[in-house]
């Protein structure tokens, strides 16, 4: 008998803030995506690559390092750290 896989949680990815200059990809504070299997439309691939391990931990019901419960924040990998992302699980 095959075991069923546990249901993965949905994760919301939000631009929490943009510090200083505007984002070179024109991301805006408050912009939000509900994540599924693919990189969100108009999302910086470098930032998504950096966020992916945290997203996977949250999707699978874990607590990401430095998170407060089901909410984790991470800065953009750009050396200027312009964008701050917030990720949280949805019920």
């Amino acid at each position: 008998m095959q075991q069923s896989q546990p249901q993965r949680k949905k994760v919301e990815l939000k631009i929490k803030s943009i510090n200083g200059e505007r984002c070179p990809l024109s991301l805006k504070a408050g912009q939000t995506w509900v994540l599924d299997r693919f990189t969100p439309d108009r999302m910086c691939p470098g930032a998504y690559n950096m966020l992916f391990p945290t997203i996977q931990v949250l999707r699978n019901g874990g607590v990401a390092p430095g998170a407060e419960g089901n909410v984790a924040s991470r800065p953009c990998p750009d050396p200027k750290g312009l964008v701050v992302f917030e990720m949280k699980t949805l019920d």
Side-chain angles (χ1 to χ4, degrees):
M1 180 164 51
Q2 186 178 18
Q3 281 187 319
S4 63
Q5 293 290 331
Q7 183 69 31
R8 287 186 171 193
K9 296 178 183 262
K10 289 187 178 185
V11 174
E12 178 184 88
L13 173 62
K14 180 178 181 178
I15 308 279
K16 186 174 179 180
S17 63
I18 297 180
N19 304 313
E21 310 167 29
R22 71 176 188 84
C23 170
L25 291 179
S26 300
L27 297 176
K28 303 213 181 306
Q31 204 169 349
T32 304
W33 300 269
V34 175
L35 304 177
D36 55 19
R37 301 174 128 193
F38 304 103
T39 305
D41 188 39
R42 312 279 304 155
M43 177 68 187
C44 171
Y48 192 74
N49 185 56
M50 185 270 310
L51 298 169
F52 189 73
T54 301
I55 292 166
Q56 287 298 90
V57 167
L58 294 172
R59 271 187 182 154
N60 289 295
V63 177
E68 294 181 21
N70 70 330
V71 180
S73 294
R74 301 286 186 266
C76 173
D78 184 300
K80 296 177 186 174
L82 299 174
V83 180
V84 177
F85 297 93
E86 181 179 271
M87 295 151 284
K88 68 178 181 179
T89 55
L90 301 175
D91 295 326

